[in-house]
Amino acid sequence: KWKGRAKMENLKPCPFCGSKDIKVRNIMDAYAIGCPTTDCLGQLIHNRTYISEELAVRKWNERAVSLDWEPAL
């Protein structure tokens, strides 16, 4: 299923499982990106396709909320 690896070094890990093994798939000149980890919600992302690998990576890296913070106690 997953053939390629995203070429960008700044690719964010999966927001669902934390995996850094994110892959880009080429499907008839369209690109999908997602997490290949079994049972991860990040696999659902590959249902959406983009016109370029760069756009797929940019969309993957867009996050509404950063997970790099700790709540104040």
Side-chain angles (χ1 to χ4, degrees):
K1 291 181 181 180
W2 295 96
K3 295 180 181 176
R5 285 184 74 83
K7 296 175 184 175
M8 294 189 66
E9 294 176 12
N10 296 327
L11 192 62
K12 291 184 179 182
C14 178
F16 303 102
C17 73
S19 174
K20 294 181 180 180
D21 188 29
I22 306 307
K23 305 230 172 139
V24 175
R25 214 167 108 175
N26 184 328
I27 307 165
M28 297 173 55
D29 294 326
Y31 295 84
I33 189 166
C35 178
T37 303
T38 304
D39 298 328
C40 177
L41 291 174
Q43 287 187 339
L44 299 177
I45 304 299
H46 82 273
N47 288 330
R48 184 165 203 174
T49 58
Y50 301 95
I51 60 171
S52 70
E53 183 176 5
E54 292 79 16
L55 181 58
V57 169
R58 190 177 82 209
K59 292 296 186 177
W60 175 264
N61 282 334
E62 287 179 358
R63 306 284 166 90
V65 176
S66 173
L67 300 177
D68 297 333
W69 61 275
E70 293 183 29
L73 299 177

